Amino acid sequence: MSPKSCLGCTKCFVFLLNLFFFFLGILLLAFSFWVLFDRQSFAAVLGSPLVSLRVWSYGFSGVGIVTMFLGFLGCLGALKEVKVMLGLYFGLLLLLFAAQITVAVIIYTQRAALATKVATYTEELIRGYPTQGPPGDPHESWDAVQQQLGCCGWKGPQDWDHHDDATRDEVMDRAIACSCLVASNSTQKTPWMLPHGRCPTAAPHNIFPRGCKERVQTWLAGNLVTIVGVCIGIGLGELSLLMLSMFLVQNLDSRYEKLLRGF
């Protein structure tokens, strides 16, 4: 294959791949707006709290904007042979790749400290769970975690037993989060709704026996190969785009007026 043909194939591949990422970013951004402005419908269907849906919508928006912007730079830079845009694309992609590696290293090296912080946060969240009235946004999110993972407390249902306040009502002291109970309306025809608030302690067989810590560890152990495979695939894809974009930067001519061609 001649160098010119190799360069043309590289341009075509970079253009098509980034065109896919550009439209993927548009879809993610549109989906995030849909979730943000129609949270009530998603909450009813998924049984998720509104605050969790709002956080997810912001996350999808950020990912969609970054993906769409990178796709735009890669598409236009490869199509119009603009070294400046390809260089900017390479720099941003390299920065994103380095950030991902940094986060992965921090999570791996500080996993024990992170696990301790998560445990402390959840224990404080459980201790601060309101005995009466609707729960706040963090407690509502914890209700969703317990119901969707089928767990109760961080270490187990005993986390909901509080005896540190002598003035607390004895009935309320024995109360447990309603999200710890096995959903009783799962066999009914009515739409499933996420339970909130406290309920009197039920029979042990009606309470999720495992803590959320164990459920999270079980889920991670069962999906470790998938998670690692996805991370490696994303990393290899980014490395490939980095090499191809640098190849184009080094081999394309520097006539920047090509940006205006075709407009």
Side-chain angles (χ1 to χ4, degrees), residues 2 65 85 100 110 125 127 145 177-178 200 215 234 252:
S2 64
I65 291 173
M85 299 189 73
Q100 292 172 343
Q110 302 294 324
L125 200 65
R127 282 197 298 268
V145 170
C178 298
R215 295 292 294 177
I234 293 174
L252 292 176

Side-chain angles (χ1 to χ4, degrees), residues 45-254:
V45 173
L46 301 177
S48 299
L50 295 180
V51 62
S52 297
L53 292 176
R54 184 169 64 247
V55 172
W56 278 107
S57 66
Y58 292 155
F60 278 124
S61 297
V63 174
I65 291 173
V66 172
T67 304
M68 187 171 58
F69 182 65
L70 285 174
F72 171 77
L73 287 178
C75 279
L76 195 58
L79 182 64
K80 298 299 180 180
E81 302 181 5
V82 184
K83 279 191 172 184
V84 173
M85 299 189 73
L86 287 173
L88 181 59
Y89 173 80
F90 175 84
L92 292 177
L93 194 60
L94 181 62
L95 183 63
L96 179 63
F97 182 75
Q100 292 172 343
I101 295 296
T102 302
V103 170
V105 171
I106 290 176
I107 291 177
Y108 180 76
T109 57
Q110 302 294 324
R111 59 187 183 277
L114 290 174
T116 302
K117 290 182 179 180
V118 171
T120 302
Y121 174 76
T122 53
E123 289 170 359
E124 292 177 354
L125 200 65
I126 292 173
R127 282 197 298 268
Y129 198 96
T131 57
Q132 295 179 348
D137 287 346
H139 305 104
E140 192 177 357
S141 298
W142 182 245
D143 284 333
V145 170
Q146 293 191 136
Q147 270 291 312
Q148 293 175 1
L149 292 181
C151 56
C152 183
W154 181 244
K155 298 178 181 177
Q158 67 275 9
D159 290 347
W160 290 95
D161 296 333
H162 304 307
H163 304 285
D164 55 343
D165 189 355
T167 62
R168 181 173 294 175
D169 182 67
E170 185 178 357
V171 176
M172 284 290 102
D173 191 55
R174 293 198 304 267
I176 198 170
C178 298
S179 56
C180 279
L181 305 180
V182 179
S184 59
N185 58 347
S186 59
T187 59
Q188 299 178 5
K189 296 182 180 180
T190 57
W192 183 85
M193 298 298 293
L194 180 67
H196 298 303
R198 286 181 178 265
C199 295
T201 302
H205 65 272
N206 290 327
I207 301 175
F208 294 123
R210 296 184 178 181
C212 293
K213 177 182 179 180
E214 181 180 354
R215 295 292 294 177
V216 170
Q217 291 175 340
T218 302
W219 184 88
L220 289 175
N223 296 275
L224 183 61
V225 175
T226 302
I227 295 172
V228 173
V230 169
C231 292
I232 292 177
I234 293 174
L236 292 177
E238 291 175 343
L239 281 176
S240 300
L241 287 173
L242 284 171
M243 291 186 294
L244 290 175
S245 60
M246 180 54 63
F247 174 78
L248 291 177
V249 169
Q250 291 178 343
N251 289 275
L252 292 176
D253 59 41
S254 57

